Amino acid sequence: MSTVAPLRVFRTASRNSHPRTSLRVRAEVAEGSKVRVTDDVKVFHIPKSKGAETNLKGFEGIVQTVIKEHNGHTMSANLPVRVKLTGEVANLGEVSFIAHLAANEFEEC
């Protein structure tokens, strides 16, 4: 009896789908890759910003981890790529922080 690898299912972004929940088929990004955020991604957890909204579009960073499995079990995380970003934030200057992103929200530099 031969073992068959599980199929990978990807959803293609449609006109009515939300960008956070739709994935495009693309090569997997490697840990340590330099990336740039290309989508409008709004976060509220920037240190010292007191919960102010920050758009990450244009921020650059390095991929720290890509979540594929946990304790030997395959994971299907909604935002599987953990990136350490650095960028200019209004009234704070240059700030570094960590954000979890989907594969279609950034490009490799």
Side-chain angles (χ1 to χ4, degrees):
M1 187 167 179
S2 65
T3 32
V4 178
L7 293 174
R8 288 185 166 202
V9 178
F10 295 96
R11 285 190 325 193
T12 305
S14 68
R15 183 176 289 177
N16 297 327
S17 65
H18 190 275
R20 280 272 225 219
T21 59
S22 60
L23 298 175
R24 290 181 280 179
V25 177
R26 58 174 260 150
E28 292 185 23
V29 65
E31 293 179 11
S33 298
K34 188 169 181 172
V35 296
R36 179 181 306 111
V37 180
T38 56
D39 265 359
D40 286 321
V41 179
K42 296 176 183 169
V43 296
F44 301 86
H45 71 280
I46 308 294
K48 299 179 184 173
S49 70
K50 299 183 180 179
E53 177 183 294
T54 304
N55 189 348
L56 300 182
K57 189 171 187 174
F59 278 53
E60 293 186 0
I62 297 178
V63 175
Q64 288 190 328
T65 54
V66 179
I67 300 165
K68 296 178 186 172
E69 64 177 50
H70 179 69
N71 292 335
H73 298 285
T74 304
M75 299 295 291
S76 61
N78 292 337
L79 303 171
V81 185
R82 184 175 183 222
V83 182
K84 183 169 185 177
L85 297 167
T86 304
E88 190 76 25
V89 177
N91 302 328
L92 294 176
E94 191 83 11
V95 177
S96 290
F97 57 95
I98 294 173
H100 292 260
L101 302 172
N104 63 337
E105 295 175 331
F106 61 87
E107 66 183 9
E108 290 190 61
C109 298

